[in-house]
Amino acid sequence: MNGIDTLQNKPQKRAIKTRLKLMEAALAVFGEYGVDAATIDDITQRAGLGKGTFYRHFSDKREITTCLVEDAMTRLMGMLGKFSIKPKSVDDVLEHLLNVHYDFFLNNSDEFVLLFQGRLLLKLERKISQDMEGPFSGYLEKIESLLEPFVTVKVDIVRIRRLACAVAGFVFGFFSFAMIGMEGDDIETSLKPLRQSFVKSLSAFVAG
Amino acid sequence: MNGIDTLQNKPQKRAIKTRLKLMEAALAVFGEYGVDAATIDDITQRAGLGKGTFYRHFSDKREITTCLVEDAMTRLMGMLGKFSIKPKSVDDVLEHLLNVHYDFFLNNSDEFVLLFQGRLLLKLERKISQDMEGPFSGYLEKIESLLEPFVTVKVDIVRIRRLACAVAGFVFGFFSFAMIGMEGDDIETSLKPLRQSFVKSLSAFVAG
DNA sequence: AAAATAAGTGACTAAAAAGTCATTATTTAG
DNA sequence: CTAAATAATGACTTTTTAGTCACTTATTTT
């Protein structure tokens, strides 16, 4: 092979593939049993790999959890940044926010469990906080940045922060209860009418 | 003592007191470490009791968790049923619902963690579902029953169910994000202005 | 093609938590 | 006061899970 490191030699490719397998398996297992209840053996068995392989790639469950949270948050935030049409008002942004969350969690229910639990773990384990507070704070900041251009009267950061909490909280919370209170298809059609009302009220809140 | 079983002889009283001590300790420990991370030793040590005592009263952690969830839900539902003034509109009921949740979780943060996790465990463990689905479904039904009298046009149960999910979800979700996005006092003052907006939007949803 | 390097493995040890039970302490009945 | 009954105990065994490492397999280098 050529002298320059291509970062694409076979062992490296293989290692990257293995790492991805582990993360995929972990996400699935976390979604099925919950982050705490899932064991390293669960993950490696699901991935079809040896246990030692896990420890070649991650120091412990906490580390892979952090990676998954960061990954999920990055993808969610990426979607939040892509508007199909350029927003012209707070209403547009709010509508977009709810749509994206809706799509993301409906198509990624394992991620929902992961972030739902990750969010709680944050409150509980001070050690994790250092690593995990980042993604969740960044997420709130992302929402804030999208709303900021339309809050012209006064750059009231506290108000925007509250709004971000409300949007994120509403979506997370609604889904969590919708899952027990409703049947599958019903969830899909339930958020839409609520969304309109919610957008209006939040919009009024920003203005007022 | 009299011949009739008074249910108040000393051993019984003692056992009841011990059981309460265990439940109190478990709630505190669950609130601190999370339900999954907490061990039986954590609970009995916190309660100042021997380990064997735990197993005299509960078969395992799942059982005491179910008891705590039922207990918390019963108290929350009790509060939901007590209006300071008789509600005259959907707005009144919604305002009341948000106030009660707000007070309950602000003054019982351990219960917040418990129900937040309990809610998730429900989705994960099919065994728990049988015992735990009850309290959470009952909770949604309670909210529905409070709203029902004011939804006159059409007894649209689906619509009310959605509303109950929205209320419960919004409150749970908002608190969970408020905890990382804000400082202590700020949370207390944040829900109030949002509440008004939220009540309006939900009210419109019910009517519409 | 042999040596060197890197990735993967799973039987193993170590640690932690669950769950048991013979024993002790407390209360009641005779 | 003594025996029977009930509650509590914590050292113990069992089970589960984490984490390690000498070894195998795959790839690259010389």
Side-chain angles (χ1 to χ4, degrees):
Chain A
M1 197 161 281
N2 63 45
I4 296 155
D5 185 30
T6 58
L7 288 160
Q8 284 300 326
N9 55 55
K10 272 202 177 179
Q12 270 178 316
K13 271 189 185 173
R14 190 188 178 198
I16 288 166
K17 213 175 164 185
T18 301
R19 192 187 161 90
L20 277 173
K21 269 188 204 165
L22 285 169
M23 286 183 69
E24 256 179 72
L27 182 65
V29 167
F30 288 172
E32 195 164 325
Y33 310 136
V35 175
D36 281 301
T39 68
I40 308 299
D41 282 317
D42 289 333
I43 296 169
T44 52
Q45 271 169 39
R46 171 84 52 125
L49 294 166
K51 188 172 192 173
T53 309
F54 177 89
Y55 288 98
R56 282 197 120 263
H57 289 270
F58 303 96
S59 65
D60 53 19
K61 196 166 72 174
R62 196 162 51 76
E63 191 174 290
I64 199 172
T65 305
T66 304
C67 286
L68 285 170
V69 168
E70 275 170 4
D71 187 62
M73 276 301 185
T74 301
R75 278 184 293 129
L76 176 56
M77 283 163 64
M79 287 170 69
L80 287 175
K82 279 178 197 149
F83 288 84
S84 53
I85 49 160
K86 197 175 165 69
K88 290 179 181 63
S89 63
V90 185
D91 282 43
D92 290 350
V93 177
L94 289 170
E95 184 107 8
H96 171 73
L97 291 181
L98 289 176
N99 281 339
V100 168
H101 279 85
Y102 171 72
D103 287 344
F104 184 76
F105 286 128
L106 212 69
N107 298 314
N108 305 276
S109 76
D110 289 335
E111 266 90 350
F112 178 75
V113 173
L114 174 75
L115 296 180
F116 197 76
Q117 280 215 302
R119 178 63 278 298
L120 184 69
L121 290 176
L122 197 57
K123 183 184 177 292
L124 302 172
E125 277 198 52
R126 287 290 95 190
K127 289 167 204 164
I128 284 187
S129 298
Q130 294 295 322
D131 301 328
M132 292 240 276
E133 197 143 338
F136 281 100
S137 288
Y139 164 72
L140 285 178
E141 279 157 23
K142 178 76 187 178
I143 293 181
E144 284 164 23
S145 76
L146 294 175
L147 290 166
E148 209 170 20
F150 300 99
V151 184
T152 48
V153 186
K154 192 180 166 186
V155 186
D156 188 344
I157 191 67
V158 173
R159 191 173 284 263
I160 300 178
R161 170 59 50 116
R162 286 174 188 172
L163 195 62
C165 286
V167 172
F170 175 72
V171 177
F172 269 69
F174 180 80
F175 271 100
S176 82
F177 274 88
M179 281 178 189
I180 48 166
M182 305 174 188
E183 296 301 311
D185 286 351
D186 203 16
I187 299 175
E188 197 161 341
T189 51
S190 287
L191 196 63
K192 290 180 184 175
L194 265 173
R195 206 180 45 191
Q196 289 181 310
S197 307
F198 195 61
V199 166
K200 276 185 199 165
S201 72
L202 287 180
S203 178
F205 170 70
V206 175
Chain B
M1 197 162 279
N2 63 44
I4 296 154
D5 185 27
T6 59
L7 288 160
Q8 283 300 324
N9 55 54
K10 270 202 178 178
Q12 270 177 315
K13 270 188 185 174
R14 191 188 177 198
I16 289 165
K17 213 175 164 185
T18 300
R19 192 188 160 88
L20 277 173
K21 269 188 204 166
L22 285 169
M23 287 183 70
E24 256 179 73
L27 182 65
V29 167
F30 288 172
E32 195 162 328
Y33 311 136
V35 175
D36 282 301
T39 68
I40 308 299
D41 282 317
D42 287 335
I43 295 169
T44 52
Q45 272 168 37
R46 173 84 53 128
L49 296 165
K51 188 171 192 172
T53 309
F54 178 89
Y55 289 97
R56 283 198 118 262
H57 290 269
F58 303 96
S59 64
D60 54 19
K61 197 164 72 174
R62 196 162 52 75
E63 192 175 290
I64 198 171
T65 305
T66 304
C67 287
L68 285 170
V69 168
E70 274 170 4
D71 186 62
M73 275 303 186
T74 302
R75 277 183 294 129
L76 176 56
M77 284 162 65
M79 286 170 68
L80 287 175
K82 279 178 195 149
F83 288 85
S84 53
I85 50 163
K86 198 176 166 69
K88 291 180 180 64
S89 64
V90 185
D91 283 43
D92 290 349
V93 177
L94 289 170
E95 183 107 11
H96 171 73
L97 290 181
L98 289 176
N99 281 339
V100 168
H101 279 85
Y102 172 71
D103 287 344
F104 184 76
F105 287 129
L106 213 67
N107 298 315
N108 305 277
S109 75
D110 288 335
E111 266 90 350
F112 177 75
V113 173
L114 174 75
L115 296 180
F116 196 77
Q117 281 215 300
R119 178 63 278 297
L120 185 69
L121 290 175
L122 195 58
K123 183 184 178 293
L124 303 172
E125 278 198 51
R126 288 290 94 190
K127 291 167 203 163
I128 283 188
S129 298
Q130 296 295 322
D131 301 328
M132 293 241 275
E133 196 142 339
F136 281 98
S137 288
Y139 164 72
L140 285 178
E141 278 157 24
K142 178 75 188 180
I143 293 179
E144 285 163 24
S145 77
L146 295 175
L147 290 166
E148 209 168 20
F150 300 99
V151 184
T152 47
V153 185
K154 192 181 167 188
V155 186
D156 187 344
I157 192 66
V158 173
R159 191 173 282 263
I160 300 180
R161 169 61 49 120
R162 287 174 188 174
L163 195 62
C165 287
V167 173
F170 175 72
V171 178
F172 269 70
F174 179 81
F175 270 101
S176 82
F177 273 89
M179 280 178 191
I180 48 164
M182 307 175 188
E183 296 300 313
D185 286 352
D186 204 17
I187 300 173
E188 197 162 339
T189 51
S190 288
L191 197 62
K192 291 181 182 175
L194 266 171
R195 206 180 45 192
Q196 288 181 310
S197 306
F198 195 62
V199 166
K200 276 184 198 166
S201 72
L202 289 179
S203 179
F205 170 72
V206 175

